[in-house]
Amino acid sequence: MLTSLPYLLSQAQKFHYAVGAFNVYNLETVQAVIAAAEKMKSPIVIQTSEAAIEYAGMENLGALVHLMAKKSKVPIVFHLDHGKDEKLVVEAIKSGWYGSVMFDGSALPLKENLASTKRLVKLAHSKGVAVEAELGAIAGIEDFVSVKEREALLTDPKQAADFVRETGCDALAIAIGTKHGAYKFHGDCQLDSQRLQEIHKSVKIPLVLHGASGVPANVKNLAIKFGAKIGEAKGVSDSAIKKAISLGICKINIDTDLRIAFLAGLHEFIEKNPKNLDPRAFLSAGKDLVSKTVEQKMRLFGSAKKR
Ligand code: G3H
Ligand code: 13P
Ligand code: ZN
């Protein structure tokens, strides 16, 4: 069933687990994440990026998710991921499809991020929609050229507390050294746990970890075996995820791992079945691997059996 982000994340905070927020963009990804949530009896956030909306249409994705979520027994929140265009965020709030939206003003000067977030929170709350905001730049810890730059771009705990108080947002995405995509680290996975601990002390609303894909060896190796060129891909380790949850992260965004899984499933099926002429057969292979990957995440995040 559909539920609200504050409720879903308050349960996660109370019982010390994290809810996975999985990016979807077509029928197969929606089916795959809901099937995994049902199998694992796990709450779930299903989210669409601006690019996913451009690809598939807000109404198409919204209708699909609503139809399937209403038939499902697990609690589901339908969420807009990384809304950078204020007009699109307003459209999503007014559409009636989204239970929550993320306004990503992280590229704006702080004052503008704060003012826009505050304005959108007011509108969203008047329509019963929750808002995730972002403070700090989600960039890999190895990408900062100096300590000064790192300090300026990762989330500042004191600033985070002021930002949350002034905007009234419901959840906060923070920057502690993860980045989006498959190539997060050259060396070991490092996150700024000390910073997370300090943010958690000063901010009481749910904290969100973006760029959290782990590039799991099983799907990465399968994709490589069947032709994908992703040898340098490296994600956030399972131990770093567990530590982040223990320090207060309760929503974890995953997109890249599902993309790799989908592609690995397609590559394998197509190579093993060169005579197949039915796209439904290879889409199903991709979908199954996406589902298995989501199940792995639910075990890792501790959200299994928490529905
Ligand atoms: O965090 C961003 C997601 O990975 C969305 O990626 O804009 O290519 O859909 P996308
Ligand atoms: P990944 O690229 O690590 O999957 O991050 C996804 C994300 O943060 C979506 O908002
Ligand atoms: Zn993100």
Side-chain angles (χ1 to χ4, degrees):
M1 77 292 288
L2 286 161
T3 186
S4 79
L5 190 76
Y7 173 72
L8 209 71
L9 299 186
S10 69
Q11 292 299 103
Q13 275 186 318
K14 193 166 159 190
F15 297 107
H16 310 289
Y17 61 89
V19 179
F22 301 100
N23 287 69
V24 299
Y25 43 84
N26 61 8
L27 170 70
E28 287 75 19
T29 46
V30 177
Q31 286 177 322
V33 298
I34 294 183
E38 285 181 338
K39 184 170 169 197
M40 302 307 288
K41 299 188 171 43
S42 167
I44 187 174
V45 176
I46 298 182
Q47 55 190 19
T48 57
S49 66
E50 289 184 344
I53 290 171
E54 202 177 313
Y55 172 72
M58 185 186 289
E59 203 180 1
N60 292 337
L61 290 167
L64 192 61
V65 171
H66 272 236
L67 193 67
M68 291 174 65
K70 282 177 187 161
K71 288 189 203 157
S72 169
K73 286 199 170 66
V74 294
I76 296 174
V77 172
F78 186 46
H79 176 79
L80 173 73
D81 188 31
H82 289 287
K84 292 187 178 170
D85 173 359
E86 274 196 59
K87 271 200 203 136
L88 186 88
V89 179
V90 169
E91 188 189 335
I93 292 169
K94 291 183 173 169
S95 73
W97 296 120
Y98 292 92
S100 65
V101 294
M102 174 186 191
F103 172 62
D104 176 356
S106 60
L108 303 171
L110 177 63
K111 254 188 163 172
E112 284 176 42
N113 183 6
L114 199 143
S116 296
T117 304
K118 194 170 173 174
R119 198 164 48 240
L120 289 165
V121 166
K122 202 167 166 209
L123 174 71
H125 286 181
S126 76
K127 308 266 180 213
V129 174
V131 177
E132 173 185 331
E134 178 173 324
L135 193 62
I138 294 172
I141 221 153
E142 293 168 354
D143 298 339
F144 300 116
V145 286
S146 63
V147 174
K148 201 171 155 202
E149 190 191 38
R150 179 178 153 162
E151 284 307 303
L153 293 175
L154 294 182
T155 307
D156 175 75
K158 161 84 174 70
Q159 205 171 66
D162 295 343
F163 185 88
V164 166
R165 196 182 49 253
E166 285 183 44
T167 61
C169 62
D170 303 280
L172 186 69
I174 58 168
I176 55 166
T178 58
K179 70 171 170 182
H180 294 107
Y183 304 91
K184 300 180 193 298
F185 307 101
H186 297 291
D188 290 341
C189 157
Q190 310 166 45
L191 301 186
D192 193 337
S193 305
Q194 175 70 29
R195 183 177 302 270
L196 170 56
Q197 219 161 3
E198 284 166 26
I199 298 169
H200 186 48
K201 256 191 232 152
S202 57
V203 174
K204 297 302 161 206
I205 63 168
L207 300 176
V208 183
L209 189 65
H210 281 248
S213 276
V215 191
N218 56 343
V219 277
K220 177 183 169 180
N221 293 339
L222 191 69
I224 290 173
K225 183 172 169 193
F226 290 101
K229 302 263 185 284
I230 54 167
E232 302 300 311
K234 188 163 187 183
V236 180
S237 67
D238 286 0
S239 58
I241 292 287
K242 280 190 181 152
K243 185 159 186 194
I245 296 170
S246 76
L247 296 176
I249 290 291
C250 58
K251 172 175 178 275
I252 300 187
N253 284 19
I254 302 288
D255 185 2
T256 297
D257 284 348
L258 307 193
R259 295 180 186 209
I260 298 176
F262 205 155
L263 292 175
L266 299 191
H267 277 293
E268 181 183 18
F269 188 90
I270 291 169
E271 180 149 334
K272 286 185 175 167
N273 302 278
K275 290 189 175 166
N276 171 63
L277 285 176
D278 185 351
R280 288 169 297 191
F282 64 72
L283 288 171
S284 295
K287 189 163 78 174
D288 288 348
L289 210 52
V290 172
S291 263
K292 288 196 178 86
T293 306
V294 173
E295 289 166 24
Q296 255 174 258
K297 297 294 171 194
M298 289 167 168
R299 281 185 211 103
L300 176 65
F301 301 166
S303 70
K305 302 200 188 83
K306 298 287 195 317
R307 77 146 198 238

